[in-house]
Amino acid sequence: DAKTTQPPSMDCAEGRAANLPCNHSTISGNEYVYWYRQIHSQGPQYIIHGLKNNETNEMASLIITEDRKSSTLILPHATLRDTAVYYCIVATTGTASKLTFGTGTRLQVTL
Amino acid sequence: DGGITQSPKYLFRKEGQNVTLSCEQNLNHDAMYWYRQDPGQGLRLIYYSQIVNDFQKGDIAEGYSVSREKKESFPLTVTSAQKNPTAFYLCAISPPGEHNEQFFGPGTRLTVL
C-alpha cells in the first residue's frame, strides 16, 4: 500500500471547519483514500472514503486533488467531540486488502 | 461497536502465560481482523480471516495464534513467545462488497506483569 504523510497535530476552534491534509504522492490508480478517526482508548471509526471524486456524508467531506496525490478531510463545524487522532489510509478495495495505519493527525478542538 | 464485542476491556496476566482475547460479532460478516496498538502508534495487523476455517498472517503474526471455527467468533491467543505482549488489541469486521470499510470493537487492553 502507498504511504501517506499527515501533520502530527492540529488545533481547531469549536464551530469552525477543521481541514485535515494528507499527502499520498505514490498512490496507485486502483487505490482508494480512506479516513478513520480514533477517540482516546476506543477503536477507530470509519469516516469516509473516495477514489477520485469529492465525497460527502453526514460526518465529513473528502476533497481529492485532480492528480490524486493529496486529499483533505473537512469537518464543517468541529465540536469538542471531534477531538481525536485522524488516520488517512490508501488501499485497494476488497476485504483482503490491508489497511496500514500510520500515526495520523491528532486534532484538538478547543473552546 | 454496533455488533462487535471484545471482552474483557482490561486483562492482566503474568509473564509466560498464554492468554486468549475474545472477539464476537453478530452482523454475519465474513471478514474479521486483529490489530495491535502501542502507545502513540498506529495499528498493526496481526491476523485476518476472510472465511470460516481460513486465516492469514498480517504484518506482526509472530507470537500470536488465531482460530476461526465459527463465523461469529475470531479469538486471538497471545502466546508466551510474544516478547512484548502488553498492548491495546483491537478486533475489526468488514462487510461484504467492493469497499474496504472496517468496523472496530472497543478493544482489550492487555497488561503482562
Side-chain angles (χ1 to χ4, degrees):
Chain A
D1 291 348
K3 289 183 66 174
T4 62
T5 305
Q6 299 177 253
S9 64
M10 293 182 64
D11 292 329
C12 179
E14 190 176 33
R16 304 296 295 268
N19 299 303
L20 292 94
C22 180
N23 287 323
H24 32 79
S25 58
T26 59
I27 190 170
S28 300
N30 63 344
E31 288 181 316
Y32 285 68
V33 180
Y34 292 84
W35 282 84
Y36 286 74
R37 73 179 182 184
Q38 186 176 25
I39 295 169
H40 183 62
S41 294
Q42 297 181 22
Q45 177 188 23
Y46 165 80
I47 302 174
I48 199 168
H49 74 278
L51 183 63
K52 54 184 177 180
N53 298 321
N54 298 339
E55 302 288 344
T56 296
N57 63 20
E58 65 278 4
M59 289 183 67
S61 294
L62 173 60
I63 308 298
I64 303 174
T65 58
E66 194 168 340
D67 63 7
R68 301 208 326 122
K69 293 184 177 182
S70 65
S71 60
T72 301
L73 180 75
I74 300 172
L75 308 178
H77 305 286
T79 71
L80 296 178
R81 287 180 292 182
D82 292 321
T83 293
V85 177
Y86 287 77
Y87 297 100
C88 169
I89 301 164
V90 293
T92 55
T93 59
T95 54
S97 176
K98 295 190 293 185
L99 297 180
T100 301
F101 288 78
T103 52
T105 295
R106 183 171 299 277
L107 175 69
Q108 180 69 52
V109 181
T110 57
L111 290 171
Chain B
D1 60 51
I4 311 171
T5 304
Q6 289 187 249
S7 60
K9 190 169 176 64
Y10 298 96
L11 190 55
F12 297 88
R13 280 293 182 272
K14 291 183 179 179
E15 195 173 349
Q17 289 181 333
N18 290 358
V19 57
T20 297
L21 310 185
S22 165
C23 179
E24 304 279 330
Q25 56 116 348
N26 61 6
L27 298 174
N28 204 36
H29 292 335
D30 286 312
M32 299 185 74
Y33 310 80
W34 273 106
Y35 292 87
R36 168 189 172 129
Q37 186 174 34
D38 294 288
Q41 302 299 312
L43 281 67
R44 291 183 291 168
L45 182 65
I46 305 172
Y47 269 98
Y48 64 103
S49 169
Q50 292 181 272
I51 198 167
V52 173
N53 292 323
D54 187 46
F55 47 83
Q56 285 78 41
K57 293 181 179 180
D59 298 320
I60 55 163
E62 186 175 349
Y64 299 98
S65 66
V66 293
S67 63
R68 188 82 188 274
E69 297 176 2
K70 298 184 296 183
K71 191 173 188 178
E72 59 269 26
S73 179
F74 190 39
L76 173 75
T77 297
V78 184
T79 75
S80 56
Q82 168 50 234
K83 289 181 172 37
N84 233 351
T86 294
F88 188 41
Y89 290 89
L90 289 151
C91 178
I93 62 175
S94 186
E98 66 175 51
H99 297 297
N100 196 5
E101 304 103 283
Q102 293 184 16
F103 300 95
F104 287 80
T108 292
R109 193 167 297 278
L110 173 65
T111 302
V112 176
L113 306 170

